[in-house]
């Protein structure tokens, strides 16, 4: 949704519209996912909130690292009024598309890792149940105090390994780099 909006904004700017006029035009046709935040931005622009401040609030509304890049470029353009915003937005749209594709691939690989963890846990539980039910003599050494200590160690190693695999399969959030108006600087992650 962000990429589609950025491309629409770029095309509107290519028609020699100023950023203040291009944003409302592109917001009207924006994808549903980003349209509410963009319409709030348009409302702030119409309420005469300085555009760079309104864009910072948009960054907080969208709360996405890719959106932060786009909004940072827009803020720089508002402050510097330089040429080349259209090219910058085109490059950012391309970059955001590539990042989205990379996120999809990483997510698919993490799903495979999670399935592998589930398989390992399932096989381990099945083997333990099988041994408990059909071959209790095999587990007799674990009835002694020394056997219990060894069993606890084996279970601890197994648990640590599962926790580590779980961490590998989860995605930590990417921290925002634009200051959020609703958070103090020490609250930024």
């Amino acid at each position: 949704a962000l990429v589609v909006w950025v491309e629409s904004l770029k095309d509107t700017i290519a028609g020699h519209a100023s950023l203040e006029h291009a944003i409302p035009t592109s917001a009207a046709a924006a994808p549903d996912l980003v349209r509410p935040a963009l319409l709030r931005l348009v409302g702030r622009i119409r309420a005469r909130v300085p555009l760079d401040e309104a864009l910072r609030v948009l960054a907080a509304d969208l709360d996405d690292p890719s959106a932060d890049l786009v909004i940072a470029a827009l803020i720089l353009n508002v402050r510097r009024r330089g040429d080349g915003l259209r090219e910058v937005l085109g490059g950012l749209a391309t970059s955001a598309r590539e990042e989205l594709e990379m996120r999809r691939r990483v997510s698919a690989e993490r799903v495979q890792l999670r399935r592998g963890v589930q398989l390992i846990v399932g096989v381990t539980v099945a083997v333990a149940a099988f041994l408990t039910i059909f071959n209790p003599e095999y587990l007799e050494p674990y009835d002694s105090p020394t056997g219990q200590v060894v069993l606890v160690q084996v279970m601890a190693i197994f648990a640590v390994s599962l926790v580590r695999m779980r961490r590998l399969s989860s995605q930590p959030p990417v921290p925002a780099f634009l200051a959020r108006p609703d958070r103090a600087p020490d609250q930024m992650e």
Side-chain angles (χ1 to χ4, degrees), residues 12-30:
T12 306
I13 290 171
H16 302 291
S18 69
L19 187 57
E20 290 83 0
H21 293 101
I23 290 174
T25 302
S26 64

Side-chain angles (χ1 to χ4, degrees), residues 36-69:
L38 292 172
L39 292 177
R40 287 190 296 273
L41 171 65
V42 170
R44 287 185 199 96
I45 292 170
R46 289 185 178 144
R48 305 250 186 249
V49 172
L51 187 54
D52 58 340
E53 289 178 27
L55 287 168
R56 285 188 181 277
V57 176
L58 175 65
D61 286 349
L62 294 177
D63 197 23
D64 181 78
S66 295
D68 280 358
L69 288 173

Side-chain angles (χ1 to χ4, degrees), residues 94-112:
T94 301
S95 174
R97 275 191 201 285
E98 291 169 356
E99 181 183 350
L100 178 62
E101 184 58 35
M102 181 62 73
R103 283 183 188 181
R104 286 180 181 160
R105 281 186 278 168
V106 167
S107 179
E109 290 173 7
R110 287 188 173 155
V111 165
Q112 290 175 345

Side-chain angles (χ1 to χ4, degrees), residues 6-7 9 18 21 24 49 56 59 64 67 80-83 94 109 113 154-155 161 163 172 174-175 179:
V6 169
E7 288 175 342
L9 183 63
S18 69
H21 293 101
V49 172
R56 285 188 181 277
D64 181 78
R80 308 258 185 220
R81 294 290 176 188
D83 292 335
T94 301
E109 290 173 7
L113 181 60
V154 168
M155 290 174 67
S161 300
V163 168
V174 178

Side-chain angles (χ1 to χ4, degrees), residues 36-172:
L38 292 172
L39 292 177
R40 287 190 296 273
L41 171 65
V42 170
R44 287 185 199 96
I45 292 170
R46 289 185 178 144
R48 305 250 186 249
V49 172
L51 187 54
D52 58 340
E53 289 178 27
L55 287 168
R56 285 188 181 277
V57 176
L58 175 65
D61 286 349
L62 294 177
D63 197 23
D64 181 78
S66 295
D68 280 358
L69 288 173
V70 171
I71 293 167
L74 296 176
I75 290 171
L76 286 173
N77 183 266
V78 166
R79 291 183 181 167
R80 308 258 185 220
R81 294 290 176 188
D83 292 335
L85 180 60
R86 186 180 60 193
E87 291 80 19
V88 169
L89 290 176
L92 288 172
T94 301
S95 174
R97 275 191 201 285
E98 291 169 356
E99 181 183 350
L100 178 62
E101 184 58 35
M102 181 62 73
R103 283 183 188 181
R104 286 180 181 160
R105 281 186 278 168
V106 167
S107 179
E109 290 173 7
R110 287 188 173 155
V111 165
Q112 290 175 345
L113 181 60
R114 280 188 224 115
R115 285 186 186 137
V117 169
Q118 291 169 349
L119 182 65
I120 290 170
V121 170
V123 168
T124 303
V125 168
V127 168
F130 178 81
L131 289 174
T132 302
I133 295 169
F134 296 110
N135 197 1
E137 300 86 30
Y138 184 77
L139 300 176
E140 284 177 6
Y142 296 109
D143 289 339
S144 70
T146 304
Q148 289 293 306
V149 169
V150 170
L151 184 61
V152 167
Q153 289 174 347
V154 168
M155 290 174 67
I157 291 170
F158 186 72
V160 167
S161 300
L162 288 177
V163 168
R164 179 68 181 137
M165 282 192 264
R166 173 74 176 153
R167 283 190 190 144
L168 288 173
S169 68
S170 64
Q171 182 174 359

